[in-house]
């Protein structure tokens, strides 16, 4: 068991940003599942606990749990929800990394999630169709983040070929258009909040890629904040402690004698090196050669 945990830690450390995002999503899913089992054993309503980390449609509720604007994008309702999101994240994240950096991937994952969540909340509070569900509607899942990555890659390299089973090769721009079009068509379905969030994430991805073409990195502030947060948990190197002796005069005298001997030895080595440089190795005496050899082994 210990070796498995060690291997997972090593894979996480070496895997890069894409693998780390997948690992984090899977780890959160497992932790939430285990927490749900424990709560159920004590007859505690697990869904009520999970809602504290899902994104509410209500702005008043968000003010009580502001962290949910980020935590929701790492939560998943069930295993299939997690599986499909992670497959899309890995496939299109790999394509994304061919044209953008790993820092851009990290930043866009969060930016698209934030924008998807914002559009979801705005839609539920603006349109009368959704307004009755504001008090009890919650959002979770990485879909908005993933759609942002897909949209950015499609904007950057629209003709990138994608191999699909039973369909064959399709250009990335058409795949992105189909995904976005389906979200528009199903915007009033049972998973309306999810489809709205997908659109918000896709818009964030397009804005990021377009802005980067003009020299503006919309993920810069997110990466700076993430770096600052990570530095709080990074172990700081210990500075070597300086030893200060406050012993009796005899001990101080020993220190003075030792320092004087060291200085004399260093001066002698400097003299021998100067002689070596000017006259060559054969000009050195036996004692000088021995002193030089001893200094090299210290």
């Amino acid at each position: 068991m210990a070796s498995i945990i060690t291997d997972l830690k090593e894979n996480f450390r070496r895997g890069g940003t894409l693998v780390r995002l997948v690992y984090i999503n899977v780890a959160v899913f497992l932790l939430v599942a285990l927490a749900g089992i424990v709560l159920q054993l004590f007859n505690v309503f697990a869904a009520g606990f999970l809602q504290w980390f899902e994104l509410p449609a209500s702005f008043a509720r968000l003010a009580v749990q502001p962290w949910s604007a980020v935590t929701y994008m790492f939560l998943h309702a069930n295993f299939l929800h997690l599986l499909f999101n992670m497959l899309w994240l890995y496939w299109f994240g790999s394509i994304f990394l061919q044209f953008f950096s790993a820092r851009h991937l990290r930043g866009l994952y969060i930016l698209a999630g934030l924008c998807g969540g914002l559009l979801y909340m705005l839609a539920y509070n603006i349109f009368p169709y959704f307004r009755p569900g504001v008090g009890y509607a919650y959002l979770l899942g990485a879909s908005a983040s993933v759609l942002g990555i897909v949209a950015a890659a499609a904007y950057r390299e629209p003709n990138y070929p994608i191999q699909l089973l039973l369909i064959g090769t399709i250009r990335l721009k058409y795949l992105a258009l189909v995904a976005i079009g389906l979200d528009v068509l199903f915007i009033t379905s049972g998973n309306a909040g999810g489809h709205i969030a997908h659109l918000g994430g896709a818009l964030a991805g397009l804005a990021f890629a377009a802005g980067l073409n003009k020299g503006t990195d919309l993920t810069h502030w997110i990466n700076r904040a993430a770096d600052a947060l990570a530095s709080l948990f990074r172990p700081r190197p210990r500075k070597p402690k300086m030893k200060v002796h406050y012993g009796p005069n005899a001990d101080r005298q020993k220190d003075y004698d030792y320092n004087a001997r060291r200085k004399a030895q260093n001066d002698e080595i400097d003299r021998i090196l100067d002689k070596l440089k000017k006259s060559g190795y054969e000009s050195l005496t036996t004692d000088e050669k021995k002193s030089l050899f001893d200094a090299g082994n210290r």
Side-chain angles (χ1 to χ4, degrees):
M1 184 65 180
S3 63
I4 295 176
I5 295 175
T6 302
D7 290 342
L8 290 174
K9 288 181 178 179
E10 189 65 18
N11 290 335
F12 181 85
R13 186 179 67 85
R14 294 185 176 183
T17 300
L18 179 57
V19 172
R20 289 174 186 173
L21 285 173
V22 174
Y23 268 51
I24 291 171
N25 276 277
V26 173
V28 169
F29 178 79
L30 294 175
L31 287 174
V32 169
L34 291 173
I37 293 172
V38 173
L39 291 173
Q40 190 171 358
L41 290 174
F42 288 94
N43 289 327
V44 177
F45 187 48
F49 165 77
L50 187 61
Q51 284 179 354
W52 283 96
F53 303 96
E54 299 173 350
L55 183 64
S58 167
F59 282 99
R61 179 68 181 181
L62 178 64
V64 179
Q65 52 182 81
W67 57 84
S68 62
V70 175
T71 57
Y72 95 90
M73 62 185 78
F74 296 96
L75 294 173
H76 291 86
N78 51 55
F79 176 74
L80 288 179
H81 189 201
L82 171 72
L83 177 63
F84 286 114
N85 274 344
M86 292 304 99
L87 288 175
W88 272 64
L89 174 60
Y90 189 80
W91 290 335
F92 293 101
S94 299
I95 297 173
F96 179 93
L97 288 175
Q98 295 181 37
F99 312 109
F100 304 99
S101 71
R103 287 177 62 82
H104 289 145
L105 178 67
R106 179 182 68 175
L108 183 57
Y109 183 97
I110 298 174
L111 177 65
L114 292 174
C115 291
L118 177 61
L119 186 62
Y120 151 77
M121 296 186 71
L122 289 174
Y124 266 70
N125 285 273
I126 292 175
F127 296 112
Y129 178 82
F130 300 116
R131 202 169 295 160
V134 169
Y136 58 86
Y138 287 84
L139 181 69
L140 77 166
S143 306
S145 299
V146 173
L147 260 293
I149 293 168
V150 173
Y155 184 95
R156 172 63 178 79
E157 200 67 22
N159 293 320
Y160 188 93
I162 302 292
Q163 291 287 342
L164 295 180
L165 186 66
L166 302 179
I167 296 178
T169 303
I170 183 174
R171 299 181 192 274
L172 181 56
K173 62 184 178 183
Y174 296 131
L175 183 61
L177 286 173
V178 169
I180 295 172
L182 289 175
D183 285 321
V184 173
L185 291 176
F186 290 103
I187 202 170
T188 56
S189 66
N191 186 29
H195 292 295
I196 295 170
H198 295 174
L199 295 175
L203 289 174
L206 293 173
F208 159 77
L212 205 61
N213 278 350
K214 299 177 181 179
T216 302
D217 184 2
L218 297 180
T219 65
H220 177 67
W221 65 275
I222 293 177
N223 283 316
R224 288 191 62 181
D227 290 339
L229 182 62
S231 66
L232 298 177
F233 301 95
R234 191 177 298 124
R236 297 180 181 179
R238 293 184 178 181
K239 296 181 179 179
K241 296 181 179 179
M242 297 180 63
K243 293 184 178 180
V244 181
H245 298 281
Y246 298 100
N249 291 334
D251 291 338
R252 292 182 182 176
Q253 186 61 45
K254 290 180 181 179
D255 290 340
Y256 295 150
D257 293 343
Y258 173 79
N259 292 332
R261 287 196 302 271
R262 286 296 301 271
K263 186 177 185 306
Q265 290 172 355
N266 291 336
D267 291 342
E268 176 65 10
I269 294 301
D270 289 340
R271 184 192 66 79
I272 295 172
L273 290 174
D274 288 338
K275 183 178 179 181
L276 177 65
K277 185 185 297 184
K278 293 177 181 179
S279 306
Y281 185 76
E282 296 301 326
S283 67
L284 302 181
T285 65
T286 302
D287 290 338
E288 288 173 339
K289 291 178 180 178
K290 183 177 184 304
S291 297
L292 194 61
F293 177 79
D294 292 341
N297 288 321
R298 279 201 293 269

